Amino acid sequence: MINEKVIIAESLTKNFGDFVAVDQISFEVAKGEIFGFLGANGAGKTTAMRMLCGLSTPSSGKANVAGFDLFKETEKIKKSIGYMSQKFSLYEDLTIRENIQFYGGIYGLSKKNIQEKSAYLVEHLHLQNYQNNLVKSLPLGWKQKLAFSVAIVHDPAIVFLDEPTGGVDPVTRREFWELIYDASARGITVFVTTHYMDEAEYCNRVSIMVDGRIEALDTPKELKKIYESVSMGEVFLKLARKAVRGE
Amino acid sequence: MKQFFAFVKKEFFHIWRDKRTLFILLGMPITQIIIFGFALTNEVKNTKMAILDFSKDASSSQLIQKMSVSKYFDATTVLANYLEVEPLFKKGKIKMVMVIPQQFANDLQHGNQAHIQLICDGSDPNVANTLSTYATVIIKDFQNEIIKEQKLPYRIETDIRMLYNPELKGAYSFVPGVMALILMLTSAMMTSIAIVKEKEMGTMEIILVSPLKSFGVVIAKAVPYMLLSMVNVATILLLSVYVLEVPIRGSLLLLLSEGLLFTITSLALGLLISSVTDSQQVAMLISLMGLFLPTTVLSGYMFPIENMPLPLQIMSNLVPAKWFYFIVKTIMIKGLGIQHVWKETLILVGMTVVLFGISIKKFKTRLS
């Protein structure tokens, strides 16, 4: 598992004019790993993630995502990743089934494959009785679980989650993480940014960004040892206090 | 291609689910045609007219008779004196009073000269003007009948023929105008709102991360509105032919193709609007102020461009609707072919290409 790297970033940098949003970050993520990406607001984690997804072109550096070069093979990368943004990413005026069909469709899945996938997803999420309901009628927690399942409907190598559990109660968050573990067990690499420190504990490895740089990167256990803390929350505070940049 | 169709299908779901908007989109041409066709008309028909006849002789009653049988005036109110005139105007009951002085027949036969006074409601100058012209024509007609037998040494008769629209029907000019307006609104406004909505909802990012090409997204967004616009073109044409009796004298195929071209021009404008804003309200406002207003004011169907100050005349050339209005008028009303509108068609094609070019470029640069 350690051998196969699905994300390799080397000195990846993004400037907006004079402002260095992401400052030469380098890291590697292994296949099937759950990689947590932490940082205060404005630390540059969303920008870093957007670069890896091909939404934003890096100013300099090198990166390889899912075995493809970030600069030259963006189109191939797009086929092998899934993405769930912090804004809600399903269509509210479409039914559950129509949403699944749409996302399956734009990733070019066959009709039969989409049929099977939707049947499986609906059953897996216990949504059988609601599959023809409009998404806007569902509670937020259900929507987010559905959004995640839809983001991996095409079995991508990596799924990028940008603060996926904002505004959800702890019980639903726990259920959401069970979905993440499922995906990871199936070999899908999970790259997740979060504000919740309990979620940071669930990750295999965690990187903490401060002022555009990666200040620390290790397993939660090691990080707590290095920074002599009892929780990831404490680790985070110790590091984030050093930040010069405000929000 | 499969991806593309999945996207178009989704767009149709959006439109279908939003029944209210769909209803407005499809109902708009019908209401517009009906409003313009039956309410907002400057044609004169059965105008209420009052008669103040001091003469009460054979000639005067002949003249009144002539006024009444014409379809323009309804001369049923008879007054006894001048004092009654103003209260009637104030109540808005009548639009015109014809005053026939004493000794009308006598003056006419022996004095070779008689006077008729027409009193109009000047608070509505256009209508007053039209009415007095119509009445004058009828009076002149009356005069000609009387002097038919006598021979005058010199006489010039003007024989006016209104080509293409002999009855001077207002519908002939507003049908092409309404078509331009409706197409502009459905295509440009709705596309821009549909794209901006996706940005507002945050679903645009998901689409951009997907393997869909940005060009494909833009086209897929536009296709449903293009179809809706063509339905609207058909509605407008059917209504104008069967309800307003405006003929389609030229080639229907050419007319429809020009309609499609103008729809694409409007779609390109809509895309451009969506690329400069992120909120639905702003998109709507720009569409209304930036498209609706110039389309009504500067396309020439409400106000003649020739009478505008030079800067406005020059500006009107930038309004796609002006060219489309000319094209539709030429094909529909005058019945001419492509050889008479190819220049205007080329201008529209040019505008479309430039607008598409700018908006796709803008769409792409926003990503990085």
Side-chain angles (χ1 to χ4, degrees):
Chain A
M1 177 164 142
I2 299 297
N3 318 345
E4 207 184 327
K5 305 287 180 211
V6 287
I7 304 176
I8 306 164
E10 286 172 45
S11 311
L12 212 55
T13 303
K14 178 78 186 182
N15 306 319
F16 293 108
D18 288 339
F19 178 72
V20 188
V22 174
D23 192 1
Q24 303 199 17
I25 56 169
S26 304
F27 60 91
E28 289 178 347
V29 181
K31 184 175 189 300
E33 194 175 9
I34 301 174
F35 190 82
F37 215 56
L38 272 61
N41 288 337
K45 53 188 189 326
T46 300
T47 312
M49 182 183 251
R50 288 173 62 89
M51 281 195 283
L52 294 173
C53 293
L55 280 176
S56 165
T57 320
S59 310
S60 65
K62 271 204 292 195
N64 191 295
V65 177
F68 302 110
D69 186 276
L70 185 56
F71 289 89
K72 292 182 199 124
E73 296 169 304
T74 328
E75 292 310 312
K76 284 183 184 160
I77 291 178
K78 284 185 170 180
K79 286 200 179 93
S80 359
I81 60 170
Y83 176 72
M84 181 181 163
S85 75
Q86 44 189 315
K87 271 197 197 170
F88 181 65
S89 48
L90 295 174
Y91 291 96
E92 301 246 328
D93 55 345
L94 263 59
T95 66
I96 294 177
R97 235 169 209 280
E98 285 160 358
N99 265 294
I100 302 173
Q101 281 163 0
F102 169 68
Y103 283 104
I106 61 172
Y107 280 96
L109 300 190
S110 72
K111 217 172 184 169
K112 196 168 151 252
N113 199 348
I114 294 176
Q115 284 291 329
E116 287 167 7
K117 284 275 181 188
S118 359
Y120 168 79
L121 273 183
V122 167
E123 201 197 308
H124 194 66
L125 297 171
H126 309 295
L127 294 173
Q128 290 97 323
N129 298 332
Y130 306 95
Q131 52 179 318
N132 292 321
N133 288 24
L134 296 187
V135 164
K136 69 174 152 216
S137 66
L138 301 178
L140 182 64
W142 292 20
K143 287 185 196 170
Q144 266 156 334
K145 281 190 276 183
L146 181 64
F148 175 73
S149 308
V150 164
I152 57 170
V153 75
H154 56 297
D155 291 315
I158 309 161
V159 61
F160 291 91
L161 309 174
D162 192 3
E163 290 172 21
T165 55
V168 178
D169 64 85
V171 178
T172 317
R173 225 154 70 205
R174 184 65 238 188
E175 287 170 11
F176 190 87
W177 273 83
E178 264 150 33
L179 289 179
I180 294 184
Y181 281 128
D182 268 3
S184 158
R186 274 160 52 200
I188 298 177
T189 306
V190 180
F191 187 104
V192 54
T193 71
T194 181
H195 274 312
Y196 298 106
M197 289 307 139
D198 56 333
E199 291 189 348
E201 310 264 3
Y202 303 151
C203 297
N204 296 130
R205 280 194 307 150
V206 169
S207 88
I208 298 177
M209 273 187 93
V210 178
D211 289 348
R213 283 184 304 276
I214 293 185
E215 207 57 37
L217 198 174
D218 217 319
T219 60
K221 206 171 147 195
E222 277 301 309
L223 284 175
K224 281 185 273 190
K225 211 156 87 190
I226 297 167
Y227 292 95
E228 296 166 339
S229 309
V230 287
S231 69
M232 280 305 293
E234 215 182 318
V235 175
F236 182 74
L237 280 178
K238 281 184 180 170
L239 284 164
R241 280 220 184 94
K242 294 197 277 183
V244 200
R245 232 146 74 179
E247 267 184 40
Chain B
M1 218 47 201
K2 210 162 55 191
Q3 282 108 306
F4 180 77
F5 283 121
F7 204 107
V8 173
K9 196 171 150 197
K10 183 213 75 162
E11 284 308 311
F12 273 114
F13 280 136
H14 287 320
I15 296 173
W16 186 243
R17 294 277 147 78
D18 192 357
K19 290 271 183 353
R20 219 177 314 167
T21 311
L22 182 67
F23 186 73
I24 294 173
L25 281 184
L26 294 179
M28 201 158 52
I30 302 174
T31 45
Q32 289 253 16
I33 287 285
I34 287 172
I35 289 173
F36 276 97
F38 297 103
L40 290 181
T41 170
N42 46 13
E43 292 167 43
V44 175
K45 239 183 252 166
N46 292 328
T47 308
K48 293 259 182 276
M49 176 196 239
I51 307 290
L52 188 49
D53 185 0
F54 292 112
S55 185
K56 293 204 169 66
D57 51 37
S59 295
S60 75
S61 42
Q62 247 175 35
L63 178 58
I64 295 166
Q65 174 74 15
K66 206 168 164 53
M67 277 290 173
S68 292
V69 295
S70 82
K71 62 176 178 175
Y72 307 110
F73 296 103
D74 183 10
T76 42
T77 322
V78 178
L79 306 180
N81 57 51
Y82 267 109
L83 293 173
E84 289 177 80
V85 171
E86 252 207 279
L88 264 182
F89 271 118
K90 279 188 175 157
K91 274 194 224 150
K93 283 264 166 80
I94 48 162
K95 292 275 179 204
M96 183 185 251
V97 175
M98 180 167 73
V99 186
I100 304 171
Q102 278 179 347
Q103 307 279 316
F104 179 66
N106 199 37
D107 285 352
L108 206 59
Q109 275 149 27
H110 305 292
N112 284 338
Q113 202 174 28
H115 291 275
I116 295 275
Q117 187 184 29
L118 295 174
I119 306 172
C120 295
D121 180 357
S123 61
D124 194 344
N126 281 337
V127 174
N129 235 329
T130 319
L131 287 178
S132 62
T133 315
Y134 279 43
T136 313
V137 170
I138 294 173
I139 293 167
K140 239 187 155 165
D141 218 40
F142 172 72
Q143 170 191 293
N144 286 345
E145 276 169 27
I146 300 171
I147 56 175
K148 220 184 297 169
E149 307 86 38
Q150 292 158 316
K151 223 174 166 71
L152 286 176
Y154 304 106
R155 209 163 119 184
I156 297 174
E157 287 282 340
T158 43
D159 181 12
I160 301 166
R161 266 184 73 207
M162 293 293 170
L163 281 183
Y164 312 119
N165 185 3
E167 294 168 70
L168 285 182
K169 275 195 192 168
Y172 281 57
S173 93
F174 77 74
V175 163
V178 167
M179 216 151 114
L181 197 66
I182 299 270
L183 288 185
M184 195 48 110
L185 276 186
T186 40
S187 313
M189 189 158 98
M190 295 318 292
T191 334
S192 67
I193 289 177
I195 293 182
V196 171
K197 193 171 174 187
E198 235 34 80
K199 288 193 205 171
E200 255 185 22
M201 301 288 291
T203 41
M204 193 50 123
E205 291 219 313
I206 308 292
I207 291 167
L208 294 176
V209 173
S210 82
L212 277 178
K213 300 263 189 303
S214 54
F215 186 73
V217 175
V218 165
I219 301 297
K221 277 264 161 203
V223 164
Y225 291 102
M226 199 159 85
L227 290 178
L228 268 183
S229 296
M230 289 323 279
V231 171
N232 279 344
V233 171
T235 316
I236 295 173
L237 289 181
L238 283 175
L239 280 177
S240 34
V241 171
Y242 292 106
V243 179
L244 301 176
E245 292 168 343
V246 177
I248 300 173
R249 296 211 175 97
S251 142
L252 182 64
L253 190 69
L254 180 63
L255 188 62
L256 291 178
S257 328
E258 297 281 359
L260 188 64
L261 170 64
F262 184 67
T263 305
I264 297 171
T265 318
S266 314
L267 289 174
L269 261 171
L271 292 179
L272 190 64
I273 293 173
S274 69
S275 67
V276 294
T277 168
D278 284 336
S279 96
Q280 289 186 62
Q281 276 99 328
V282 178
M284 179 109 104
L285 210 67
I286 299 181
S287 306
L288 283 179
M289 301 303 283
L291 301 179
F292 191 83
L293 224 60
T295 303
T296 39
V297 177
L298 291 179
S299 66
Y301 94 92
M302 282 211 169
F303 312 104
I305 294 173
E306 295 79 12
N307 295 352
M308 293 179 187
L310 192 65
L312 278 183
Q313 286 193 29
I314 294 169
M315 254 171 75
S316 76
N317 289 329
L318 294 173
V319 178
K322 175 192 163 172
W323 306 106
F324 182 64
Y325 175 65
F326 177 86
I327 292 171
V328 174
K329 225 170 49 179
T330 310
I331 299 172
M332 231 179 125
I333 312 299
K334 295 192 184 167
L336 300 176
I338 182 77
Q339 63 272 23
H340 292 96
V341 291
W342 65 271
K343 262 186 263 169
E344 288 74 16
T345 308
L346 270 188
I347 291 174
L348 276 186
V349 170
M351 283 180 166
T352 312
V353 170
V354 170
L355 286 170
F356 255 115
I358 300 175
S359 42
I360 289 200
K361 203 167 165 235
K362 282 227 168 198
F363 195 81
K364 277 191 179 150
T365 46
R366 282 181 72 90
L367 306 190
S368 57

